Amino acid sequence: MTHLPRSPHALRAAAVALLLACAGWLIIPREAPAAATPGRFVYGSGDATAVDTLTGLQWQRATSASKFVLSAALTHCGDRNLAGKKDWRLPTVRELASVRDLFAKEPAIDVEVFPGTKSDWYRTSSSPFGVSFSNGMVFTRDDNDPLWVRCVRG
């Protein structure tokens, strides 16, 4: 027999998870493994970017120096000139979620590839969704909440 959550908070969380799953927002994106895969990211010592060999995306390795609301985050990434490239952008929720390591916690990411990642929420272009690198969750965030940023290209 299946038991429903008893507390209002647990019931609400279960309902939101079910709605997200029905809408196609999977906790683990289909195109990426749940854990870090050795050799998945290519980068050199001191490189500011890493290339994901699974998706072909090039990622900014460092977290932004400050938090941004959605409109400022879009501008921040769009104005980047990193590794000689100027076509940086804010990642979609699927793209950003694909770099999570769900077996790592605080932060839920490979810290060798992405050093200095905050165990906090990161902004995506898929409003209103954000990705938490504290626990790997994907959830709604207000566009005016300042969140950390990691830019992508490709």
Side-chain angles (χ1 to χ4, degrees):
M1 173 183 243
T2 304
H3 297 281
L4 292 175
R6 295 181 193 259
S7 75
H9 176 73
L11 185 58
R12 191 171 30 249
V16 168
L18 179 61
L19 286 172
L20 289 175
C22 290
W25 297 103
L26 303 177
I27 297 299
I28 302 171
R30 291 182 199 111
E31 64 275 1
T37 304
R40 176 179 167 189
F41 293 94
V42 177
Y43 59 96
S45 177
D47 284 357
T49 66
V51 174
D52 184 342
T53 60
L54 189 63
T55 64
L57 296 172
Q58 184 175 16
W59 289 93
Q60 174 184 348
R61 292 181 66 202
T63 294
S64 58
S66 59
K67 294 181 177 183
F68 295 93
V69 298
L70 179 60
S71 59
L74 291 165
T75 300
H76 170 76
C77 286
D79 289 346
R80 300 288 300 166
N81 184 354
L82 189 61
K85 307 294 182 186
K86 296 182 180 180
D87 57 344
W88 294 92
R89 60 183 172 77
L90 195 60
T92 67
V93 67
R94 272 194 189 278
E95 290 169 340
L96 189 57
S98 76
V99 300
R100 295 172 301 172
D101 180 346
L102 297 179
F103 293 101
K105 295 291 181 232
E106 298 192 13
I109 196 168
D110 184 339
V111 293
E112 288 186 31
V113 179
F114 300 104
T117 298
K118 312 289 186 201
S119 293
D120 203 352
W121 288 96
Y122 279 68
R123 174 80 48 213
T124 74
S125 62
S126 307
S127 177
F129 293 97
V131 175
S132 169
F133 284 101
S134 174
N135 54 20
M137 283 185 60
V138 172
F139 207 72
T140 58
R141 300 296 304 202
D142 189 280
D143 290 351
N144 294 314
D145 286 345
L147 304 180
W148 296 106
V149 171
R150 172 166 283 117
C151 303
V152 70
R153 63 178 294 274

